[in-house]
Amino acid sequence: MAPTTFSYDFGSEASGFRKKTSFSTGLFINGQSVDSVDSKTFEIINPTTAKSLGHITIASEKDIDLAVEAAQKAFDSTWGLHTTGQERGKLLIKLAELIEENIEELAALESLDNGKAVAIAQAVDVQGAADVLRYYGGWADKIHGKTIETDEATFAYTRHEPIGVVGQITPWNFPILMLAWKLGPALATGNTVVFKPSEFTPLTALRVAVLIKEAGFPPGVVNIVPGLGNVAGAAISNHMGIDKVAFTGSTAVGRAIMKAAASSNLKRVTLELGGKSPTLILDDCNLDTAARWAAFGVVANHGQMCCAGTRIYVQDNIYDKFMEKFVAVMKGIKLGDPFRPDTFQGPQVSKIQFDRIMSYIEHGKKEGATCLLGGQQHGTEGYFIEPTIFTDIKPEMTIVKEEIFGPVGVVSRFSNDEELIKLANDSVYGLASAVFSENLSRAIKLANALKAGTVWVNTYNTLRTNVPFGGYKQSGQGRELGEYALDNYTQVKAVHVNLSGPPFI
Amino acid sequence: MSTSLPTLLTFPNGRELTVPTGLFIDNKFVPSIEGATIQSINPVTEEVLAVVSSATAKDIDIAVASSRHAFRTVWGRNIPGVERGKLLNRLADLMERDTDPLGDLEALDNGKSAEVARAVDLPEAIACLRYYAGWSDKIFGQTIEVDDKGHKSASTRIEPLGVCAQIIPWNYTIMMLAWKIGPALAAGCTVILKPSELTPLPALKLAELVVEAGFPPGVFNCVPSFGDVGGAALTSHLDVDKVAFTGSTATGRKIMQAAALSNLKKVTLELGGKSPHIIFASANLKEGPRSCESCHWGVFLNQGQDCVAGTRLYVQAKVYDAFIEELLHSAKEWTAGYGDPFAEGALGGPLVSEVQRDKVAAYVDSARAEGASIVYGGERWQGKGWYYLPTIIGDVTPTMKVVKEEIFGPVLVVTKFETEEEVIALANDSTYGLGAGFHSNDANQCQRVLARLEAGTVWVNQYGQLYPQVPFGGYKQSGMGRELGTYALENYTQVKSVLWDYSGGSAQ
C-alpha cells in the first residue's frame, strides 16, 4: 500500500502561508517515505475545529526494527566518525537554512496541527528550531577529548565518541522546536537517529523529513517514525539495538521509559519531564511587569509548557495590588483562531487534554479553592479553555501538587523569604522557577536557594539556544541546549597507550 | 598621486576582474590622505599589475578611529555572538561563490599556481571562517564557588580585546586573512588588517565581500601599506589594543618592541621557521605514507615561501641512498608551471619579488662557498619572472648559513644521521621551533620522538596538514601564541573576574 499523504489548502486562512501544501505522511525510513509494515494509520485532528485532518502512517514494532537497521547501517558507513565534523556541521546548517526558507509553511502546519497562534509558531517555534540546528551545526567539529598527563611511560587520552543509534521521543507541545533540540546535538556528535514525534502532531516533523533529504543527509541518518507511545515509543525504549533514548513528555511516561531502558539493554536515558514551577512575586518587584510575566508564565503555549509558572506566590503586603494587575492581564488574553494575527491563545491540543484540564478545574473547585477567573470552556468549537486563576489554595490540594498542563494558575501568599523558599521547593518537580524583585541581591540569594534547573529573574520562559535547560528532581535528568546537550550524545573512551611500562607480573 | 578608483585586471586565462585600489575604511574605498601609493608587481611578468593606495600614519589614525567607533557602537558587546557567526558564515559563502576569481587573483599577485590557489588556499580560508563562525556564540566564562554561605559569587566574563591590528604576509594572503579575522571577529573585536605591500590585491577584493556579507562599517578595515610606515604606525598606536603579526622573526622583534614602548598592547607573533623533516629507517617508505612526496610538498609548496616549510631533511643512514635517489628523481615535478601559473597542472611558481629571489640565490651561493654540494637545481630559472629552481643541497654541516637560517625559498638541505638521539639533537638545534615532521613505523619511537621535538606542530608520517580546529604556532623564536583551534580565541579576548557580594540584599 502506498503511504499516506497530507494535502491542505491554507488559502482561506486569515493570515500566514496561504498556499497549498502536499507531502507524504508515510514513515521516513532510510531516506524514503514508506508505508508501515502492517499499514496502520492514525487520525489527526485540528484542535481549533475538532475536525479531522486525515490520517498519517504510524509505526509498529516491526517498523521500528527497520528504522533501527537503517540507522545502524548509516552509523557504520556514512555517518558516525565516517564523516568529518565539518561535514556534519554543514548539513545541519543547510537544514537550518531550508527550514528558514520554508518558515511560513512550517508555521502554518504547526498551527494547524497544534493550535498555537501562527505568528508565534513562526517567530518562536520555527525560527527557534532553525536557530538551534544552526547552533549545533557550529559544534559539530568542536567535539574534543583530552590528552592527559600521567607519566612518561604512558600516553593517555580520551575520545568523545558518538553513541550510535539513538531513539528520540518528543511531545506535541512544541513539535518542530523539540525536533531541533533533539536532532541538533545528536547529529552534531555523529549519532544516527530513530525519531518518534507525537502521533497527535506529526506534520512538521514529516515536512522536515523532506528538507532533511534535500539538505543531503545520507539515508538512514535520520528516521522519522510517528507512532503511538505504547507501541512505537515502547518499541524504541525496549529496543536492544538502540543505545540511548531521549524523551520529553510527562513524568509518568518518563518512568515507563526508564524502566524499559533498564530492563532491556540498560540504554542511556535522558528525560525532560513535567513541572509545577513557582513564580515568586516579592514586595520590591515592579508590579506591572511582574504581573505580565506571571500571566505569560501561565498562559504561554496555552499552558502546555513543561516549565509553565503555574504556582504563583505573592508577598502578603502587595497581594491585592498584584492580583488586580495580574487578573487584568489574564482577562485581556486574546483567544481565537490561531490563524488570526491578533490571537495569542489557541485551543488545547486535543480532546484528551481538554478533558483532563477541565477535570482538574472541577477538582480544584471541589477541593475548596476559589476559581477567581475563567474555569470554563471558551466558545463552542474546538478545545479552547479560558485563562484560569485559583486562589485560597492549600499546599496539599491536587491543583497545587499536580501538573495540569493548561492555562491554569494557582495563587498563594507568603510573608517572608524563608517561608517562600520552603513553599517554592515543596514539590516533586524542579524544572524552572522565577523570582520578581528589583533588589538583585535579594533575587540572586533566592535564585541560589531554589531547587530548579532554571531560575528566571524578572522574566519568564526565556530560553536561549546556548543556555542549558533541564530538571532537578522528578522533572528529569540531563540537560538540553547549550554545550551541555553534547554530553547526552557522546560516550567517553579512555585510551592508555603503554610505551615502556613493564608487565605487572 | 593617490587613487581609489577600481582597476580592471586581465588574467592569462582571459578572466577580467575589477579590483578596488583605495584603502578600505568604514566600508568605503578611499584614497590615502597623503597620496601615497603601492605598485603591486606581477612576479611572472615583472610588470606593474595595479597601483593601490598606501596607508600612512594619518590614514592609520582614521582607520583606528573607525575601528574604535565600530567597537563601541555596532560590534563588541553590541551584537550577539550568533549574529557575528552568521556574518562570518555569509562571508564564507561569498568566498565559496567567488573561489575561482579569488584564487586567480591570489595567483596573479603572488605568482603561485592558480589551480593550487583555488584548490588549497581558498577552501582552507573558507573552512577557517566557518569554524570560527561556529565559535561566536560559544565563548564561555566560568562561575566559581568561593563561599559557603551563599552570599558571594565569583565568575569570569570573557570579553573582546577591542581594536586589533593584524599584519599579514604575502605568502598566503587570503588564507592568512581568514586565520586572522576569523577568531578576531568571532570574539567581537574590530580589525584593522594590513596586507603586505607585495600582495595587496586579494585583500582589497575580499573587502568588497565584507560589505556584501553585511558587516557594519568599521568592523573590518583593510589598509595596504609598507611595513615601516603603516605597520609601524599600527604597532605603536596608542588606541590599538592588540597586534597580531605573521611574518619574519626580525620584524616580529620590532613589533614586540613597538608594542612595549607604546601602550603595552597585547602581541601574538607567528614568525619564521627552519623545520626539520626526519626519515627514520623504520619508516614504511614503499607502501605506507609516501614520505618522499611529503618531503617535496613540505618544502616546495608555495616555492618554499611557508613559515613551516620542512627545509632541513634528515635521513637515517640505512635508507639514505635509496631515499635520496627517489627525492632527486621526483624533484623536477616542481617546475611544472614555471612561466605560467595559470597553466594546467602548474605546481611551482616564482618567488614573490626580485629581492626575495635574489636572497635565495645568495643563500645557495653561500652554501657553495661553504663547501656544500648542490645536488639538484641551485640556480635561477632561465625564463622571465623571479623564478628559482627547486634546489637540494647535500654535504651540509650544522653551522652553515643554509642550515641555520630561514631561506624562504625552494631550498632543501639534506643531512645523513645514524641514531635517534643524534637526530633529535640536530633537529632541536635551532632558534626556531615552528614545525617538525618525521616518518617512522615504530609506534614507541613515534611517541618518544614527538615528545622530544621542540616544535609547536609535529607531523607524524605526513607533513604540513593543517585543520582550522587544530592549533598552530611556534616554540622558541618562531613566535608566541597559537592560531587556529580554540586557542586562537584567547588571542582576542580578555578575562574579567567578577566578585559579587550580595549579602547586603536581605529581605525585610
Side-chain angles (χ1 to χ4, degrees):
Chain A
M1 218 176 90
T4 49
T5 306
F6 178 78
S7 298
Y8 195 84
D9 186 348
F10 287 98
S12 55
E13 300 294 353
S15 66
F17 179 79
R18 291 211 198 82
K19 302 191 190 132
K20 294 194 184 123
T21 183
S22 184
F23 53 94
S24 173
T25 49
L27 307 176
F28 181 67
I29 298 177
N30 208 31
Q32 303 294 325
S33 275
V34 295
D35 191 15
S36 61
V37 163
D38 45 16
S39 296
K40 280 233 159 56
T41 63
F42 183 80
E43 190 178 31
I44 49 173
I45 310 288
N46 179 343
T48 302
T49 59
K51 295 202 171 64
S52 175
L53 287 171
H55 287 78
I56 56 146
T57 308
I58 50 169
S60 65
E61 215 178 297
K62 294 199 194 80
D63 301 297
I64 298 301
D65 285 341
L66 291 171
V68 172
E69 200 185 309
Q72 187 65 54
K73 192 147 164 254
F75 183 73
D76 293 335
S77 60
T78 56
W79 202 247
L81 298 177
H82 301 283
T83 41
T84 61
Q86 273 145 348
E87 262 309 298
R88 299 195 300 265
K90 265 193 191 160
L91 289 171
L92 278 165
I93 290 176
K94 180 75 182 142
L95 181 58
E97 287 170 354
L98 288 173
I99 285 175
E100 280 172 338
E101 273 168 41
N102 292 279
I103 197 170
E104 286 186 347
E105 183 188 343
L106 289 164
L109 285 167
E110 196 80 308
S111 282
L112 190 70
D113 215 359
N114 167 283
K116 65 178 75 196
V118 70
I120 295 176
Q122 181 162 326
V124 175
D125 297 60
V126 186
Q127 185 60 59
D131 291 345
V132 168
L133 290 171
R134 180 174 280 115
Y135 175 78
Y136 285 105
W139 269 120
D141 59 354
K142 303 173 175 65
I143 313 297
H144 301 149
K146 300 183 198 291
T147 58
I148 304 160
E149 284 298 310
T150 54
D151 55 44
E152 284 298 289
T154 311
F155 173 43
Y157 62 96
T158 58
R159 285 165 60 92
H160 289 204
E161 300 186 345
I163 295 173
V165 177
V166 306
Q168 304 185 315
I169 301 168
T170 55
W172 42 256
N173 59 345
F174 290 91
I176 198 175
L177 189 60
M178 292 299 102
L179 177 148
W181 282 29
K182 292 280 183 287
L183 290 186
L187 296 175
T189 47
N191 299 276
T192 53
V193 177
V194 173
F195 183 88
K196 188 199 91 59
S198 165
E199 65 277 25
F200 293 98
T201 54
L203 295 180
T204 45
L206 292 167
R207 184 68 181 86
V208 168
V210 177
L211 302 179
I212 285 172
K213 195 164 174 175
E214 196 184 322
F217 285 87
V221 171
V222 181
N223 303 284
I224 297 182
V225 284
L228 305 181
N230 58 2
V231 176
I236 288 172
S237 328
N238 281 292
H239 209 284
M240 299 300 284
I242 290 179
D243 290 314
K244 185 255 162 40
V245 63
F247 169 76
T248 297
S250 70
T251 295
V253 176
R255 269 187 222 290
I257 290 186
M258 203 168 163
K259 280 192 199 148
S263 54
S264 56
N265 63 348
L266 277 170
K267 54 175 64 61
R268 286 142 193 75
V269 179
T270 46
L271 304 170
E272 209 270 275
L273 308 175
K276 192 78 183 186
S277 304
T279 294
L280 315 182
I281 310 292
L282 310 186
D283 62 4
D284 50 9
C285 73
N286 177 324
L287 278 170
D288 284 317
T289 53
R292 289 161 67 186
W293 281 117
F296 183 62
V298 176
V299 298
N301 213 45
H302 328 165
Q304 297 168 141
M305 280 190 84
C306 45
C307 54
T310 46
R311 286 184 294 145
I312 299 165
Y313 297 95
V314 188
Q315 194 145 24
D316 235 338
N317 51 351
I318 49 138
Y319 183 87
D320 294 329
K321 282 212 188 93
F322 172 80
M323 285 308 285
E324 196 186 314
K325 293 182 191 282
F326 177 57
V327 168
V329 178
M330 292 287 271
K331 271 195 178 139
I333 301 290
K334 186 89 176 59
L335 277 74
D337 174 0
F339 283 88
R340 287 185 54 94
D342 57 346
T343 295
F344 177 81
Q345 182 179 328
Q348 307 307 121
V349 78
S350 67
K351 178 123 192 13
I352 297 172
Q353 286 302 314
F354 175 88
D355 289 343
R356 199 162 161 269
I357 298 160
M358 292 309 297
S359 154
Y360 270 112
I361 290 173
E362 290 315 305
H363 202 86
K365 290 174 183 166
K366 282 205 193 87
E367 288 181 302
T370 303
C371 183
L372 189 66
L373 184 75
Q376 321 257 44
Q377 177 175 14
H378 170 89
T380 51
E381 196 189 57
Y383 311 126
F384 292 82
I385 296 180
E386 295 173 341
T388 300
I389 302 172
F390 277 101
T391 57
D392 300 317
I393 57 164
K394 293 194 173 55
E396 15 351 308
M397 288 181 179
T398 312
I399 55 168
V400 179
K401 292 165 78 70
E402 294 185 21
E403 184 183 41
I404 299 173
F405 226 63
V408 182
V410 304
V411 187
S412 182
R413 303 163 184 263
F414 73 94
S415 47
N416 60 60
D417 287 13
E418 251 180 44
E419 176 196 357
L420 178 61
I421 289 168
K422 286 205 185 78
L423 286 167
N425 287 339
D426 179 21
S427 171
V428 301
Y429 293 114
L431 190 52
S433 54
V435 179
F436 289 87
S437 165
E438 297 293 278
N439 181 336
L440 214 49
S441 302
R442 182 181 178 196
I444 289 177
K445 277 165 81 177
L446 274 165
N448 289 356
L450 289 166
K451 295 202 170 88
T454 293
V455 181
W456 286 299
V457 178
N458 294 331
T459 184
Y460 209 95
N461 281 337
T462 304
L463 293 172
R464 304 245 183 237
T465 315
N466 50 1
V467 179
F469 179 85
Y472 277 38
K473 303 193 269 186
Q474 295 188 33
S475 286
Q477 40 195 272
R479 289 292 175 269
E480 297 198 280
L481 299 182
E483 185 181 9
Y484 296 73
L486 301 171
D487 290 339
N488 301 340
Y489 294 100
T490 51
Q491 44 193 358
V492 179
K493 171 188 287 172
V495 182
H496 305 246
V497 182
N498 183 14
L499 303 171
S500 57
F504 216 74
I505 53 158
Chain B
M1 178 183 68
S2 179
T3 175
S4 65
L5 295 173
T7 189
L8 182 71
L9 298 180
T10 311
F11 292 60
N13 58 8
R15 179 188 301 284
E16 288 192 334
L17 192 70
T18 58
V19 178
T21 61
L23 303 174
F24 181 70
I25 300 176
D26 272 339
N27 276 9
K28 291 193 292 285
F29 293 97
V30 294
S32 154
I33 281 187
E34 291 173 302
T37 57
I38 288 167
Q39 289 188 331
S40 189
I41 317 275
N42 182 331
V44 174
T45 63
E46 303 182 27
E47 285 161 12
V48 176
L49 279 171
V51 177
V52 305
S53 294
S54 177
T56 61
K58 288 207 179 82
D59 300 302
I60 295 299
D61 281 341
I62 294 173
V64 172
S66 150
S67 296
R68 176 64 61 194
H69 181 75
F71 182 70
R72 284 212 173 107
T73 57
V74 298
W75 205 247
R77 303 201 83 83
N78 300 296
I79 176 173
V82 63
E83 293 305 318
R84 299 196 298 264
K86 277 186 187 165
L87 288 169
L88 280 166
N89 256 324
R90 179 85 186 112
L91 180 59
D93 289 342
L94 296 174
M95 286 172 68
E96 212 163 68
R97 178 194 71 191
D98 294 351
T99 286
D100 286 354
L102 288 170
D104 285 357
L105 185 59
E106 175 86 28
L108 194 70
D109 212 2
N110 168 284
K112 68 177 73 184
S113 154
E115 270 180 20
V116 172
R118 282 188 235 126
V120 176
D121 294 52
L122 261 303
E124 291 206 14
I126 291 162
C128 180
L129 290 180
R130 291 203 194 288
Y131 176 76
Y132 285 105
W135 273 123
S136 306
D137 57 356
K138 302 172 177 67
I139 298 179
F140 306 120
Q142 303 173 346
T143 59
I144 306 157
E145 284 302 309
V146 292
D147 178 48
D148 59 357
K149 290 181 183 53
H151 292 166
K152 296 187 181 186
S153 78
S155 59
T156 59
R157 287 166 64 96
I158 309 300
E159 302 188 346
L161 273 177
V163 174
C164 299
Q166 303 186 314
I167 301 171
I168 61 171
W170 42 257
N171 57 348
Y172 295 97
T173 305
I174 291 176
M175 212 173 21
M176 291 298 101
L177 186 150
W179 283 27
K180 292 282 184 285
I181 71 171
L185 297 179
C189 295
T190 53
V191 166
I192 304 165
L193 185 113
K194 187 199 92 59
S196 165
E197 67 277 15
L198 295 175
T199 55
L201 304 179
L204 290 171
K205 191 65 182 167
L206 275 172
E208 286 180 347
L209 297 185
V210 167
V211 179
E212 192 182 342
F215 284 88
V219 171
F220 172 81
N221 291 323
C222 182
V223 287
S225 180
F226 293 92
D228 55 2
V229 179
L234 279 168
T235 51
S236 54
H237 206 288
L238 294 178
D239 201 23
V240 168
D241 300 303
K242 187 258 167 40
V243 60
F245 170 77
T246 296
S248 71
T249 296
T251 307
R253 272 187 219 287
K254 285 193 212 152
I255 288 184
M256 205 168 159
Q257 282 167 347
L261 289 171
S262 55
N263 63 345
L264 276 170
K265 56 177 61 60
K266 282 116 186 90
V267 179
T268 45
L269 304 171
E270 209 268 274
L271 306 176
K274 192 75 182 187
S275 304
H277 201 161
I278 305 167
I279 312 292
F280 287 99
S282 66
N284 188 343
L285 295 177
K286 277 203 180 20
E287 273 142 29
R290 292 197 294 273
S291 343
C292 229
E293 195 177 306
S294 86
C295 284
H296 283 305
W297 280 89
V299 70
F300 296 131
L301 180 68
N302 221 44
Q303 296 64 259
Q305 299 172 127
D306 191 314
C307 48
V308 79
T311 46
R312 289 186 288 147
L313 180 64
Y314 296 93
V315 187
Q316 200 153 24
K318 196 158 152 216
V319 295
Y320 185 86
D321 292 330
F323 190 84
I324 298 302
E325 193 186 315
E326 173 58 36
L327 193 73
L328 295 175
H329 174 71
S330 44
K332 65 179 176 299
E333 291 167 14
W334 286 87
T335 54
Y338 267 38
D340 183 8
F342 288 81
E344 204 181 307
L347 262 185
L351 282 307
V352 76
S353 70
E354 194 170 10
V355 165
Q356 289 298 122
R357 195 272 305 273
D358 290 347
K359 253 196 213 162
V360 173
Y363 271 112
V364 177
D365 290 340
S366 80
R368 278 193 187 94
E370 289 184 283
S373 309
I374 314 297
V375 293
Y376 193 92
E379 59 187 11
R380 292 168 174 76
W381 184 63
Q382 291 314 308
K384 186 139 196 219
W386 297 312
Y387 289 89
Y388 200 87
L389 291 178
T391 298
I392 300 176
I393 304 178
D395 296 320
V396 294
T397 64
T399 53
M400 290 184 182
K401 282 178 68 168
V402 288
V403 177
K404 295 179 76 68
E405 297 181 25
E406 184 181 41
I407 298 172
F408 228 64
V411 180
L412 180 68
V413 301
V414 188
T415 302
K416 191 192 293 190
F417 73 93
E418 298 290 336
T419 68
E420 182 183 302
E421 282 298 308
E422 176 197 353
V423 77
I424 288 177
L426 286 169
N428 288 338
D429 179 22
S430 173
T431 55
Y432 293 113
L434 190 53
F438 68 91
H439 299 256
S440 162
N441 230 30
D442 175 346
N444 281 1
Q445 178 174 56
C446 288
Q447 286 296 341
R448 283 194 306 270
V449 173
L450 68 86
R452 298 179 62 197
L453 285 170
E454 288 161 7
T457 297
V458 178
W459 283 285
V460 184
N461 293 329
Q462 56 183 342
Y463 199 92
Q465 280 70 21
L466 297 169
Y467 303 90
Q469 61 265 46
V470 180
F472 179 86
Y475 276 37
K476 302 193 270 188
Q477 294 187 35
S478 284
M480 53 185 59
R482 289 291 173 273
E483 297 199 279
L484 303 183
T486 57
Y487 298 76
L489 297 168
E490 287 166 30
N491 300 341
Y492 296 99
T493 52
Q494 44 195 354
V495 179
K496 172 186 287 173
S497 294
V498 178
L499 296 123
W500 188 336
D501 182 342
Y502 43 86
S503 57
S506 324
Q508 294 97 359

